């Protein structure tokens, strides 16, 4: 097959569109771009806080606010913008979350990709973590939840821009490298019915070379490349990336982990950016999370189990988890560093090993997140949006509606406060205010997951 990138316009569907797609049919089949959708024009010039003001007003009409007593399970009273979510039926709240996600999605698309359907400026950051690919991933999620075929068309257009920008990149992970571009491109093409385009992205994926001097972590290392392989296997088909191919990366991770680990104490240990981190982004939790989805030998599986138990035994007195082996300051409570990302990994360990110690530790850490996790940041990586996934993960595993109520409280509290705090710069994503992991892209993704919490997955972490 030719190496040159084919035409990225999706080919016609092989089968007739479902009823959920019918209202989009005319726009998609005629090649309409988002610039032809009037609702996008309506939000393009509106300040971000205006978007949140509309969302907050909608929330007031959806549920009745209470400012007297929090739910019984709350240790500390939360009186600002908490709603009687345990009294609200699932249907109206789910529809509200869907509307709010749609509002934010349109704003994010307008601000990151523009109205023309193609970039008007050079792609400076193509990554899923902080760049334009995060917008494409959000659009793919929206397509999955709502069936809006226009989202899939626009997702493919954005991936095309990211493909061109990442051609010479040496970064290879799903979050921060070319593997994310090719993997998402292949999956979006599959859903579009464009087999030729899918083959193009798969060929590009197969050409990716993982440097020998690479780290092992999720964000910038081998585990992040393996997650891209797992993503392809889930969405395209088992053994799309065969075990024989991924095994060498697993072997390298295990070998490196054992070299730094201490037998009988912590079997596996890793170093990234000069630190022996514990968290999901650069440390133990993220690497163990990926390894539990790989085919491991019995002794390797025991090493993963022993490493997680070492972390539980050495958590901080507060119930939070340290940043690294050396840095035991109890200052961070985020997905990347601290209890939130580790809780999600412990819930997964409870499923894989059937060991009650993992679930107990996850629930204990979730209490810390509930009591201290309402930050003044919005993002998935460093803020409230990411912390809400702690409760969604536990809700899915236990079926306990208390955890669902906690996730709703975090989500609605964030939305209720956002229109007041964003204008003052207190809830932002730094230099990437619309990005998936640092900005409001993560909040929009969370809202889509809140439409059906039984199917929620932390982006680029849970499969």
């Amino acid at each position: 097959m030719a190496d040159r990138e084919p035409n990225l316009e999706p080919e016609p569907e092989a089968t007739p569109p479902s009823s959920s797609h019918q209202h989009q049919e005319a726009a998609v089949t005629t090649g309409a771009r988002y610039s032809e959708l009037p609702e996008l024009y309506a939000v393009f010039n509106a300040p971000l806080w205006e978007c949140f003001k509309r969302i907050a007003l909608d929330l007031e009409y959806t549920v009745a606010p209470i400012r007297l007593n929090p739910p019984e399970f709350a240790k500390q009273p939360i009186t600002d913008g908490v709603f009687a979510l345990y009294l609200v039926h699932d249907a109206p709240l789910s529809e509200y979350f869907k509307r709010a996600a749609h509002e934010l999605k349109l704003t994010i698309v307008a601000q990151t990709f523009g109205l023309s359907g193609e970039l008007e400026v050079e792609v400076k950051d193509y990554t899923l973590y902080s760049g334009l690919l995060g917008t494409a991933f959000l659009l793919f999620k929206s397509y999955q939840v709502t069936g809006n075929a226009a989202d899939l068309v626009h997702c493919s257009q954005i991936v095309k821009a990211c493909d061109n920008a990442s051609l010479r990149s040496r970064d290879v992970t799903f979050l921060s490298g070319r593997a994310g571009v090719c993997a998402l491109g292949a999956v979006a093409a599959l859903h579009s019915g464009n087999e030729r385009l899918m083959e193009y992205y798969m060929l590009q994926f197969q050409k990716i070379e993982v440097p020998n001097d690479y780290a092992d972590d999720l964000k910038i290392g081998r585990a992040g490349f393996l997650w891209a392989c797992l993503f392809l296997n889930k969405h395209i088909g088992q053994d799309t990336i065969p075990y024989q191919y991924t095994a060498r990366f697993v072997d390298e991770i295990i070998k490196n982990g054992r070299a730094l680990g201490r037998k009988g104490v912590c079997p596996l240990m890793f170093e990234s950016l000069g630190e022996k981190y514990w968290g999901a982004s650069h440390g133990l939790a993220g690497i163990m999370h990926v390894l539990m989805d790989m085919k491991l030998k019995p002794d390797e599986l025991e090493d993963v189990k022993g490493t997680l138990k070492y972390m539980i035994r050495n958590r901080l007195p507060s119930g939070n988890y340290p940043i690294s082996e050396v840095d035991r300051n109890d200052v961070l409570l985020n997905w990347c560093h601290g209890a939130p990302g580790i809780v999600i990994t412990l819930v997964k360990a409870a499923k894989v090993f059937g060991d009650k110690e993992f679930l107990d530790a996850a629930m204990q850490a979730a209490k810390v997140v509930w009591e201290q996790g309402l930050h003044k940041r919005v993002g998935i990586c460093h803020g409230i949006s990411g912390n809400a996934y702690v409760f969604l993960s536990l809700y899915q595993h236990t079926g306990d509606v208390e955890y669902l109520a906690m996730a709703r409280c975090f989500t609605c509290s964030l939305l209720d406060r956002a229109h007041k705090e964003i204008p003052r710069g207190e809830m932002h994503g730094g230099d990437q205010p619309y990005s998936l992991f640092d900005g409001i892209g993560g909040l929009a993704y969370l809202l889509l997951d809140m439409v059906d919490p039984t199917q929620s997955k932390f982006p680029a972490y849970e499969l």
Side-chain angles (χ1 to χ4, degrees):
M1 184 179 64
D3 224 19
R4 185 174 57 83
E5 177 188 359
N7 180 11
L8 292 178
E9 292 296 331
E11 296 175 353
E13 296 276 353
T15 57
S18 64
S19 59
S20 64
H21 294 172
Q22 287 176 354
H23 67 288
Q24 299 290 340
E25 186 176 10
V28 174
T29 55
T30 58
R33 299 186 185 276
Y34 264 61
S35 58
E36 298 168 13
L37 300 178
E39 56 190 343
L40 189 57
Y41 282 116
V43 300
F44 182 68
N45 292 315
L48 182 57
W49 58 89
E50 289 293 334
C51 176
F52 276 107
K53 281 172 67 176
R54 292 193 298 273
I55 291 171
L57 182 62
D58 190 3
L59 184 59
E60 290 183 21
Y61 285 107
T62 305
V63 291
I66 59 169
R67 299 181 184 277
L68 299 176
N69 296 305
E72 293 180 0
F73 51 82
K75 181 177 179 182
Q76 299 293 334
I78 303 176
T79 57
D80 182 19
V82 176
F83 299 88
L85 303 177
Y86 48 91
L87 299 176
V88 178
H89 293 296
D90 286 343
L93 196 57
S94 293
E95 286 301 313
Y96 162 73
F97 287 136
K98 189 185 294 186
R99 292 192 302 271
H102 182 67
E103 285 261 6
L104 283 177
K105 176 194 72 179
L106 293 174
T107 304
I108 291 163
V109 169
Q111 295 296 331
T112 60
F113 196 59
L115 288 173
S116 65
E118 294 181 1
L119 275 177
E120 299 172 355
V121 295
E122 180 185 359
V123 181
K124 294 182 179 178
D125 185 347
Y126 71 83
T127 68
L128 187 137
Y129 182 90
S130 59
L132 188 59
L133 192 67
T135 301
F137 200 64
L138 173 63
L139 284 162
F140 181 68
K141 177 69 173 181
S142 180
Y143 164 74
Q144 290 179 298
V145 172
T146 68
N148 184 342
D151 285 337
L152 191 59
V153 172
H154 209 200
C155 171
S156 294
Q157 292 169 350
I158 294 176
V159 173
K160 176 182 177 180
C162 294
D163 178 35
N164 293 334
S166 65
L167 278 171
R168 293 175 178 80
S169 175
R170 291 186 75 252
D171 298 319
V172 304
T173 69
F174 192 84
L175 277 172
S176 302
R178 181 151 173 79
V181 176
C182 298
L184 180 57
V187 172
L190 173 68
H191 283 268
S192 299
N194 193 334
E195 185 175 349
R196 182 164 162 259
L197 180 58
M198 184 183 75
E199 289 176 356
Y200 164 77
Y201 281 119
M202 287 303 303
L203 178 61
Q204 293 299 309
F205 188 89
Q206 292 162 14
K207 290 183 174 183
I208 294 173
E209 296 182 4
V210 180
N212 292 330
D213 59 350
Y214 231 44
D216 293 301
D217 65 56
L218 181 71
K219 187 179 178 186
I220 61 171
R222 292 183 183 87
F225 178 75
L226 285 176
W227 202 93
C229 298
L230 292 168
F231 180 79
L232 286 168
N233 285 345
K234 175 183 177 180
H235 288 279
I236 294 181
Q238 197 61 33
D239 295 326
T240 298
I241 307 296
Y243 165 73
Q244 291 80 2
Y245 177 79
T246 58
R248 60 191 176 107
F249 300 109
V250 173
D251 290 346
E252 191 71 20
I253 290 173
I254 294 291
K255 182 184 77 173
N256 293 341
R258 285 173 172 170
L260 277 180
R262 291 175 292 165
K263 193 172 183 179
V265 182
C266 183
L268 303 173
M269 184 58 64
F270 302 89
E271 189 172 272
S272 178
L273 304 174
E275 297 284 347
K276 295 176 181 177
Y277 288 116
W278 276 36
S281 179
H282 290 295
L284 289 173
I287 298 170
M288 298 305 105
H289 201 277
V290 172
L291 287 178
M292 283 188 283
D293 273 317
M294 309 307 298
K295 292 181 181 179
L296 299 179
K297 303 179 185 72
D299 62 319
E300 294 170 342
L301 205 55
E302 282 300 310
D303 282 352
V304 170
K305 185 177 182 179
T307 298
L308 292 171
K309 292 205 170 191
Y310 167 82
M311 295 173 71
I312 294 171
R313 291 194 304 269
N314 291 277
R315 61 194 163 192
L316 297 168
S318 68
N320 193 14
Y321 285 76
I323 298 168
S324 70
E325 280 287 282
V326 176
D327 189 349
R328 294 186 59 83
N329 290 316
D330 193 355
V331 294
L332 296 180
L333 195 65
N334 306 313
W335 171 78
C336 54
H337 298 294
I342 294 172
V343 168
I344 296 172
T345 295
L346 292 175
V347 171
K348 185 169 188 172
K351 299 173 187 175
V352 170
F353 297 109
D355 190 327
K356 191 172 180 294
E357 182 180 357
F358 292 122
L359 181 58
D360 289 343
M363 291 190 293
Q364 290 165 15
K367 291 180 181 178
V368 180
V369 179
W370 171 250
E371 293 165 9
Q372 303 175 33
L374 277 174
H375 302 316
K376 283 196 173 184
R377 295 196 66 135
V378 65
I380 284 276
C381 189
H382 306 112
I384 301 170
S385 298
N387 290 356
Y389 277 94
V390 166
F391 312 121
L392 291 173
S393 182
L394 280 165
Y395 167 64
Q396 286 184 20
H397 185 65
T398 65
D400 189 339
V401 294
E402 251 183 33
Y403 289 119
L404 176 57
M406 290 176 174
R408 287 173 170 175
C409 281
F410 266 46
T411 305
C412 289
S413 294
L414 174 54
L415 290 172
D416 186 58
R417 289 163 39 192
H419 75 282
K420 305 167 189 173
E421 298 188 13
I422 281 182
R424 299 196 299 265
E426 293 182 13
M427 301 181 73
H428 57 81
D431 294 331
Q432 300 90 24
Y434 298 96
S435 70
L436 184 63
F437 269 69
D438 273 342
I440 64 166
L443 172 56
Y445 200 99
L446 170 64
L447 289 167
L448 289 166
D449 267 333
M450 292 297 293
V451 173
D452 182 2
T454 64
Q455 301 300 314
S456 70
K457 304 292 179 188
F458 193 106
Y461 197 51
E462 295 180 287
L463 283 166

